Amino acid sequence: QSSVDKAKVLVEWADAEERLLSDPDRAAQRYEAALAADPAATSAIHAIVRLKRAKGQVAELLDALEALRRRLPKADARDVELAIASLLVEHAGRAEEAIAILREALARFPEDTEAIRIARAGLSVRPHGRDFALLLEAAADAAEGESGRWLLESLLEQTRGAEGVAEARARWH
């Protein structure tokens, strides 16, 4: 039995543990076993993030995701990296650590909706809002066609009155 097949079975088992048996702790164990079998099992990654975040286990979750990221080839690490960035910005109070992750993600795929969502959440984090605005500006510049213009227009709206972005806002007009 391949590791991918084993991971799929473990994810289905974990889903049953969570939904049918209402046992999120055992479900998390099964999802972790699925990731041990196949580190790129994205459904298991998302489930573990959801379950551990719901229990407030942000530091433990960040450690687990960092370990997982080290095991994955760079090409397969996108979901894990964005989960880490989301946790850093939205739950751990460590937004500055997410900037490099998002910079790289948006350089590869400037229209990545999840990376853009996380960067937009970072706009309100002081004192790093300007850094997130510059990330979004670079993504808008690199995006193709209408999506780049839409991103700049929404960025103008979202940063109205924000501190430290006046110079960038002048470029966006």
Side-chain angles (χ1 to χ4, degrees):
Q1 182 177 13
S2 78
S3 60
V4 172
D5 292 338
K6 183 178 179 181
K8 286 180 183 178
V9 169
L10 287 165
V11 166
E12 289 176 15
W13 184 1
D15 287 343
E17 291 274 6
E18 184 179 359
R19 280 189 269 131
L20 300 176
L21 302 175
S22 299
D23 192 343
D25 293 332
R26 293 209 33 200
Q29 291 172 354
R30 303 291 176 254
Y31 287 125
E32 288 169 356
L35 286 176
D38 178 14
T42 56
S43 59
I45 294 167
H46 293 293
I48 287 172
V49 168
R50 180 177 40 76
L51 290 171
K52 289 191 180 286
R53 191 174 56 212
K55 290 185 77 174
Q57 298 173 330
V58 174
E60 178 183 312
L61 179 54
L62 281 168
D63 290 343
L65 288 172
E66 285 291 350
L68 179 60
R69 181 167 82 164
R70 287 189 293 274
R71 292 193 342 243
L72 286 170
K74 186 66 176 165
D76 295 335
R78 176 202 170 272
D79 287 336
V80 172
E81 290 174 342
L82 292 180
I84 291 169
S86 175
L87 288 166
L88 290 169
V89 171
E90 298 168 310
H91 300 282
R94 296 166 39 195
E96 67 279 2
E97 295 175 47
I99 293 169
I101 295 169
L102 292 172
R103 182 177 295 115
E104 188 174 322
L106 289 167
R108 284 186 305 216
F109 304 106
E111 298 174 21
D112 186 314
T113 56
E114 179 64 2
I116 289 169
R117 184 196 68 74
I118 298 164
R120 290 176 75 122
L123 288 171
S124 62
V125 177
R126 293 179 188 213
H128 305 290
R130 179 180 182 280
D131 298 321
F132 287 100
L134 294 175
L135 285 177
L136 290 165
E137 177 183 17
D141 287 346
E144 297 182 13
E146 292 295 312
S147 62
R149 192 170 77 223
W150 172 84
L151 181 55
L152 276 181
E153 288 172 4
S154 64
L155 191 53
L156 275 166
E157 179 65 30
Q158 191 171 0
T159 59
R160 184 174 291 144
E163 292 180 22
V165 294
E167 183 181 316
R169 282 179 57 83
R171 285 192 302 272
W172 304 337
H173 281 287

